[in-house]
Amino acid sequence: DTGVSQDPRHKITKRGQNVTFRCDPISEHNRLYWYRQTLGQGPEFLTYFQNEAQLEKSRLLSDRFSAERPKGSFSTLEIQRTEQGDSAMYLCASSLDSRFSTDTQYFGPGTRLTVL
Amino acid sequence: AQSVTQLDSHVSVSEGTPVLLRCNYSSSYSPSLFWYVQHPNKGLQLLLKYTSAATLVKGINGFEAEFKKSETSFHLTKPSAHMSDAAEYFCVVSPWYSSASKIIFGSGTRLSIRP
């Protein structure tokens, strides 16, 4: 399977702990996106990379959140000092940059975070 | 500014009957519009997208959507529902220029299929 993969699929943590999620995009895709999805809502944009450069960040991404894509391949999303409000599904997507049309994003299955 | 409104949070139809999922959008620019489907425990999958070519867009699994600029709508339809269509559907608006932070997902429509 050469789709987008995310690890872990589920994470339960206690408030105040740090968590890190990993996303492996489709290999030839140079764009990578992180979204957060809460129950009953659509995904909300968090941040986006073009190769290894983090080009855009949402205001939703507080100082406790950091994302990296060190070699332009996989990406990690870290949440420090987790809060109960961080409980959500964290989605990763990748796309191939096209100058002539809006990219089609391919999504991973998500990581469900529960903060107790 | 952009926004997208999915007019129904839940739609229930009988197997074999038509499906209509409604989406209205607002955009300062000529938008690109998408429909994604999300099955339980699976990633979002692209059904179809409109990018200023033909206004009637055909997607996978028999779905299609029509871009109506005058009505600012992009409703999703399927002539005959199948049990496997039961899922959450999201309408998405994006500016034609690539700006990831401007991609807006609707709140979703849950489609249920009655046997």
Side-chain angles (χ1 to χ4, degrees), chain A residues 29 33 94-96 101-106, chain B residues 34 36 46 49:
Chain A
H29 285 184
Y33 311 78
S94 69
S95 70
L96 187 62
S101 67
T102 304
D103 300 352
T104 295
Q105 296 185 35
Y106 295 83
Chain B
F34 304 75
Y36 280 86
L46 180 70
K49 69 177 181 180

Side-chain angles (χ1 to χ4, degrees), chain A:
Chain A
D1 185 11
T2 57
V4 178
S5 61
Q6 294 186 245
D7 183 67
R9 294 290 305 275
H10 303 275
K11 179 70 176 179
I12 300 174
T13 191
K14 293 182 179 179
R15 188 176 53 187
Q17 297 295 305
N18 299 345
V19 294
T20 300
F21 309 142
R22 177 180 169 122
C23 171
D24 286 88
I26 293 171
S27 59
E28 64 268 26
H29 285 184
N30 53 357
R31 291 186 168 186
L32 187 147
Y33 311 78
W34 285 100
Y35 292 87
R36 181 171 66 189
Q37 184 179 19
T38 54
L39 202 60
Q41 298 298 317
E44 295 174 295
F45 170 79
L46 292 179
T47 189
Y48 136 73
F49 291 84
Q50 174 97 5
N51 300 310
E52 65 275 11
Q54 188 174 20
L55 295 187
E56 291 187 82
K57 291 169 63 173
S58 165
R59 289 173 297 173
L60 294 174
L61 213 65
S62 76
D63 291 344
R64 297 184 298 104
F65 287 70
S66 62
E68 293 183 342
R69 194 183 183 197
K71 297 183 180 180
S73 57
F74 73 92
S75 175
T76 58
L77 177 68
E78 181 183 18
I79 308 174
Q80 296 181 327
R81 305 180 303 283
T82 53
E83 301 172 357
Q84 288 184 326
D86 297 331
S87 296
M89 178 76 85
Y90 290 84
L91 298 172
C92 176
S94 69
S95 70
L96 187 62
D97 181 18
S98 167
R99 298 183 183 279
F100 304 106
S101 67
T102 304
D103 300 352
T104 295
Q105 296 185 35
Y106 295 83
F107 283 82
T111 294
R112 181 168 296 284
L113 173 65
T114 302
V115 182
L116 302 176

